[in-house]
Amino acid sequence: MAINPCSPTGSKLEDTDFGYTLAVIGGKYKMIVLYWLNENQPVMRFNELKRCIGTISFKTLSTTLKELEKDQLIIRKEYPQIPPKVEYSLSKRGKSLIPVLDMMCNWGKQHRLK
């Protein structure tokens, strides 16, 4: 049995380290956005992300990017020009999640039923 379990019995999930991690990367598109930002470093623009993901609406992508920025996983850089130019990139904190996403991908590769 683990000495320091990630989600101890009797704890509220949102009060645990595991719950925090799930809150930060949970949702349908957050991990996908992080994946594409990592694959297309150093920066991507909104429409590039939209094209890569394909199935996401403009509103959902906008909301997802705002949440990732609020959680300090991505950096949003806006240039004062017309038309507006905004670039997104992974923050240091966001880059620290990439090994976790890679492990999830590898797990899926090994365990997906074919």
Side-chain angles (χ1 to χ4, degrees):
M1 182 150 211
I3 296 170
N4 186 11
C6 195
S7 186
T9 304
S11 298
K12 290 185 192 175
L13 183 60
E14 61 269 14
D15 294 337
T16 66
D17 296 337
F18 186 66
Y20 174 75
T21 303
L22 288 177
V24 170
I25 64 171
K28 188 172 180 179
Y29 292 104
K30 284 183 179 180
M31 289 188 284
I32 296 168
V33 169
L34 294 172
Y35 168 82
W36 281 113
L37 286 173
N38 183 61
E39 288 296 305
N40 294 289
Q41 286 187 39
V43 297
M44 287 186 82
R45 294 183 65 186
F46 186 92
N47 284 330
E48 291 176 301
L49 277 165
K50 172 79 174 87
R51 277 192 296 277
C52 287
I53 298 170
T55 57
I56 192 169
S57 71
F58 285 98
K59 183 180 185 324
T60 302
L61 179 55
S62 179
T63 301
T64 301
L65 289 168
K66 286 176 186 172
E67 290 173 1
L68 290 169
E69 183 183 16
K70 181 179 93 37
D71 290 329
Q72 300 174 345
L73 298 178
I74 66 169
I75 298 166
R76 180 182 189 271
K77 184 170 183 181
E78 187 173 343
Y79 295 89
Q81 65 184 49
I82 296 184
K85 178 181 174 183
V86 179
E87 294 178 336
Y88 298 92
S89 61
L90 288 175
S91 66
K92 185 175 180 181
R93 182 177 163 129
K95 288 177 184 175
S96 72
L97 272 171
I98 298 305
V100 175
L101 300 181
D102 288 341
M103 285 189 282
M104 290 173 68
C105 183
N106 290 334
W107 187 91
K109 187 184 295 184
Q110 291 174 2
H111 298 287
R112 182 171 52 160
L113 300 175
K114 297 180 182 193

